[in-house]
Amino acid sequence: MAGDDGLSWHGRSGPEGDERDEPEDLWNPRLRRTTERGLERDDGDPQVPWESLPPSARHYGAPADPGLSRRVRVRRWGRPAEAVLALLLAAGLIAALVTVVLRLAVPKPATARLSDSLAGVTITLPAGWQEGAVPPVTGFTSVARNDGALVMARPIPDPVADVTKATKDAAELYSTLLLKGDKVDVLEDKDLPQGHTRALRAQYRDVVNRPAYLRVTLLNRGGKAVLLVGLLQPEETTRRQALDAVMSSVR
């Protein structure tokens, strides 16, 4: 259908065949720009037949890659980074939790107490030590053992006037009975707040018997005396210190 001025709605030509410009209001700059990129039969990817393309692709050409905005790129890289950070934090929390659990799960060294009501003493026994049933020496009322080491206790019925002399005499007696060394040296001899202690080391000429250790402690508390004897063979520094610690724990 044509208008009164002889132009068709598409602005092609009038009845006389005169070509006229397209009306201003029908001009579409966007359409013109895209039309200029239309594909011809010989353009485009040779592996894609021209006939297989849709009409829009033949006319307007392949759409340009809009690319990624900076915000999209940041978001694309930001999400993996956040995930990695979350994983690292979770791993740290798990490691800390495992460490705490392992520390709580490790049992502390068990300790026990030997109570001798006859001698009136209590001895703390660390891990590895245990109370014995019968003391190996007559007159003692309790004994604790640990792999070649022992501590015995016995009450002294008679009052002790000279604690230092009584301790020296007891050390000589039990050195003769228990050590029987070819050479006996005094390692320590000192006063205690409530008594006295003396330590001896015995050596042997034969190659069978290794050095032995003896400590004798006499405590005089409130008019009641108690004698403690510790014996160790073979004598070694670490084991000797452990034996002395047990004897020092007497209460």
Side-chain angles (χ1 to χ4, degrees):
M1 179 181 297
D4 296 338
D5 57 356
L7 292 176
S8 68
W9 283 104
H10 298 285
R12 295 293 182 179
S13 62
E16 294 82 12
D18 296 335
E19 294 184 356
R20 299 187 181 184
D21 294 334
E22 296 176 346
E24 187 71 21
D25 58 347
L26 295 180
W27 176 251
N28 189 339
R30 184 183 302 275
L31 182 62
R32 172 169 291 186
R33 283 198 296 271
T34 55
T35 304
E36 291 176 356
R37 294 197 300 269
L39 294 179
E40 300 296 337
R41 183 179 297 271
D42 296 332
D43 297 340
D45 190 347
Q47 297 182 358
V48 181
W50 188 83
E51 293 82 356
S52 64
L53 296 175
S56 60
R58 298 178 190 175
H59 186 70
Y60 298 114
D65 184 6
L68 293 177
S69 65
R70 182 177 181 275
R71 182 177 180 182
V72 174
R73 288 197 298 270
V74 171
R75 183 176 299 174
R76 176 177 295 180
W77 287 101
R79 289 180 178 176
E82 293 174 359
V84 171
L85 180 59
L87 289 176
L88 291 176
L89 292 176
L93 292 175
I94 293 174
L97 180 61
V98 171
T99 302
V100 172
V101 170
L102 290 178
R103 288 181 179 179
L104 294 177
V106 175
K108 295 181 179 180
T111 58
R113 292 186 182 275
L114 184 157
S115 297
D116 188 340
S117 58
L118 296 177
V121 295
T122 300
I123 304 175
T124 300
L125 304 179
W129 285 79
Q130 59 183 356
E131 182 178 355
V134 180
V137 180
T138 303
F140 287 87
T141 54
S142 61
V143 59
R145 299 178 180 273
N146 176 33
D147 188 22
L150 60 85
V151 173
M152 300 179 292
R154 60 168 296 181
I156 303 296
D158 299 328
V160 179
D162 190 342
V163 176
T164 301
K165 183 179 183 302
T167 303
K168 181 179 178 180
D169 292 343
E172 184 176 353
L173 172 64
Y174 290 108
S175 172
T176 302
L177 294 176
L178 302 177
L179 294 182
K180 298 181 179 180
D182 297 313
K183 181 183 179 182
V184 179
D185 298 322
V186 178
L187 299 182
E188 186 178 52
D189 188 83
K190 67 177 183 179
D191 292 331
L192 298 177
Q194 294 180 321
H196 196 87
T197 185
R198 188 178 180 93
L200 307 175
R201 184 176 186 267
Q203 293 178 294
Y204 306 91
R205 293 191 181 96
D206 58 74
V207 296
V208 177
N209 290 310
R210 300 177 63 184
Y213 177 75
L214 176 72
R215 178 175 288 277
V216 176
T217 300
L218 182 62
L219 300 177
N220 191 6
R221 299 177 297 184
K224 297 182 63 176
V226 57
L227 182 68
L228 302 170
V229 174
L231 183 64
L232 171 65
Q233 190 179 30
E235 183 266 343
E236 296 173 353
T237 302
T238 303
R239 302 183 68 207
R240 184 175 72 236
Q241 293 173 349
L243 177 67
D244 291 345
V246 173
M247 296 186 67
S248 299
S249 70
V250 175
R251 298 292 183 268

